[in-house]
Amino acid sequence: MNQLGTGIAITGSGSATPDGVLDNHQLSQIVETSDEWITTRTGIRQRCLADAQASLSGLAAEAAKRAMAMAGVEPEALQLIILATSTPDDLFGTASQIQALLGASNAVAFDLTAACSGFVFGLVTAAQFIRTGVYQNILLIGADMLSRWLDWSDRGTCVLFGDGAGAVMLQADSRDRLLGFQIRSDGTQNKCLQLAYKPQTQQLVKDIEVGQGNFAAITMNGKEVYRFAVQKVPEVIEKALFQANLTAEDVDWLLLHQANQRILDAVARRLKIPSHKVLSNLSQYGNTSAASIPLILDEAVRSGKIQPGDIIASSGFGAGLTWGAAIFEWGR
C-alpha cells in the first residue's frame, strides 16, 4: 500500500452532538409511529437535534478541538482540513469557516461530499496527501445536520436521522496504519436515497427562464437501501481486508456507518464477526451520516474499548449510491 515510505497514523479523535434530544415517544406525537415500531425496525431510540440557530461549523469545530487535543496538535500545525458533509452552512463550503474558528491559519480547507460514505472517502483522500509527502498533519471531520432537510410528516425518513460531528487527526508516521481500502459508487441507484434540487421557475425576460435554487426533503427507498447495504458492505470489507493481507478473524472491531441495527447485524453475520466486536451507538444518536463513524470511534476510544494497535474494519455506505471500506490500526 505505502509506495513512498510515508505512513499514516490516526492519533486523535473527538466528537460533539447538539443538546436537543428527541426520543421515540416524543416523535410519536409528531408522526404516526411508536417506540416499538422504530426500535424493532432500526434499533434507534432517540436522536440529537440542532436548534435553528446552531451551525454545522460550530459543532464541527468543537469535535475538531477535542481530536486535536487528544493528538497534542496545535492549530498552527494543521496543514489541511477536510470536512465530509452533505449539509454545509454555506453551499460554497463550510470547511474554511471551521479553519477560521480553529485559528488554523496555515491550513487549506475544503468540503468533501459523499453522504454517509463521506468519512471513509475523506480518510482515503487524506491518506494520499500524507503518503505523497505533501502534508503531515491533517484534520478530518465528518459532520451533518440532516434534521434541516427532513420531512417531519414522513415516518420512513424522519425517524432515522440525527445531527452530530466527529473528527480525527491524521499524521505522517514511519509505519502505515491504513492497511487497506476500497471505495465505490453506483449512480444508477441515485434515486434510492436523495436530497434533490427542486427548481422553482423564474422568468427573467421573454424566452429565458432560470431555476430558483431550493432543495426537496430527503427521500429514501428503504428496502432498496437495505438490500444494497447487506450485499455491498461485506463485499467491500472483504476486498479491503484482502488488500491488507488480513481476514475477518484479524479484526478487533467492526465499525460500520450507523444506519440501521439490522444492517449492522446482517453484515457481521456474513463476515462471521461476533457481535461483541460490533460497535453500535445508533440507539442514542440515529443516523448522523458522515458523522456516525468518527462519533462512535471517539466514544469507543475514550471509553477504553479501542486500544492502540487494535485493527478496525470500517465501512460507510449511503446516498450516491456510494460505499467504501477502510482497514486501519488505531494510534501510533
Side-chain angles (χ1 to χ4, degrees):
M1 287 294 298
N2 181 19
Q3 302 296 318
L4 300 176
T6 303
I8 177 175
I10 305 175
T11 59
S13 65
S15 60
T17 54
D19 293 333
V21 176
L22 183 72
D23 65 29
N24 291 345
H25 295 293
Q26 293 168 305
L27 195 53
S28 68
Q29 301 170 29
I30 302 168
V31 67
E32 187 180 346
T33 189
S34 68
D35 178 62
E36 182 185 14
W37 191 92
I38 299 169
T39 54
T40 56
R41 286 162 177 79
T42 70
I44 299 166
R45 295 189 179 278
Q46 64 180 40
R47 67 287 295 146
C48 298
L49 302 178
D51 63 33
Q53 284 70 46
S55 68
L56 186 82
S57 56
L59 197 67
E62 191 177 334
K65 288 174 183 176
R66 291 169 181 168
M68 292 162 63
M70 183 185 289
V73 174
E74 296 297 324
E76 58 269 20
L78 290 179
Q79 295 163 302
L80 174 63
I81 299 169
I82 300 175
L83 171 65
T85 189
S86 302
T87 57
D89 294 329
D90 183 338
L91 206 55
F92 287 151
T94 292
S96 292
Q97 295 177 41
I98 297 167
Q99 180 234 27
L101 288 171
L102 296 176
S105 56
N106 297 317
V108 66
F110 64 81
D111 289 23
L112 180 153
T113 301
C116 301
S117 304
F119 181 80
V120 170
F121 279 41
L123 178 60
V124 171
T125 300
Q128 311 317 307
F129 286 101
I130 291 177
R131 286 174 169 174
T132 52
V134 177
Y135 298 128
Q136 291 76 49
N137 296 308
I138 299 177
L139 176 65
L140 170 61
I141 308 166
D144 271 304
M145 289 183 176
L146 288 174
S147 64
R148 293 172 168 177
W149 300 103
L150 290 172
D151 176 356
W152 289 95
S153 67
D154 176 11
R155 72 170 184 175
T157 56
C158 75
V159 305
L160 300 175
F161 297 101
D163 303 332
V168 294
M169 268 305 308
L170 310 172
Q171 296 186 274
D173 198 78
S174 58
R175 189 162 69 82
D176 204 342
R177 269 81 169 183
L178 179 59
L179 308 176
F181 68 83
Q182 294 282 312
I183 51 178
R184 295 283 186 270
S185 301
D186 181 4
T188 66
Q189 297 191 72
N190 178 257
K191 289 188 177 180
C192 291
L193 180 51
Q194 281 188 311
L195 205 175
Y197 171 61
K198 182 182 181 182
Q200 294 177 330
T201 302
Q202 181 177 352
Q203 187 161 354
L204 299 181
V205 295
K206 186 179 180 181
D207 299 327
I208 297 179
E209 293 181 344
V210 294
Q212 188 66 40
N214 205 347
F215 289 88
I218 293 170
T219 60
M220 183 176 71
N221 183 327
K223 289 182 180 179
E224 287 301 317
V225 172
Y226 177 86
R227 187 178 295 116
F228 143 76
V230 298
Q231 176 189 353
K232 296 296 187 181
V233 173
E235 179 184 283
V236 80
I237 291 173
E238 286 174 339
K239 287 180 177 179
L241 284 168
F242 179 79
Q243 188 182 46
N245 198 28
L246 298 171
T247 70
E249 292 181 355
D250 298 312
V251 172
D252 293 304
W253 301 103
L254 182 62
L255 176 55
L256 301 180
H257 163 54
Q258 303 290 293
N260 185 304
Q261 189 63 45
R262 287 179 171 180
I263 294 175
L264 272 61
D265 295 342
V267 171
R269 283 196 302 271
R270 182 163 164 187
L271 293 171
K272 296 182 172 60
I273 292 177
S275 58
H276 70 270
K277 291 186 176 183
V278 181
L279 296 171
S280 176
N281 69 353
L282 66 85
S283 66
Q284 299 301 301
Y285 300 104
N287 180 342
T288 55
S289 193
S292 76
I293 291 175
L295 201 163
I296 191 170
L297 173 67
D298 182 51
E299 283 195 343
V301 167
R302 291 179 186 274
S303 70
K305 270 188 175 181
I306 292 177
Q307 293 291 318
D310 282 0
I311 303 297
I312 298 168
S314 178
S315 179
F317 49 92
L321 293 176
T322 58
W323 67 104
I327 314 301
F328 62 89
E329 181 181 325
W330 171 255
R332 289 196 191 272

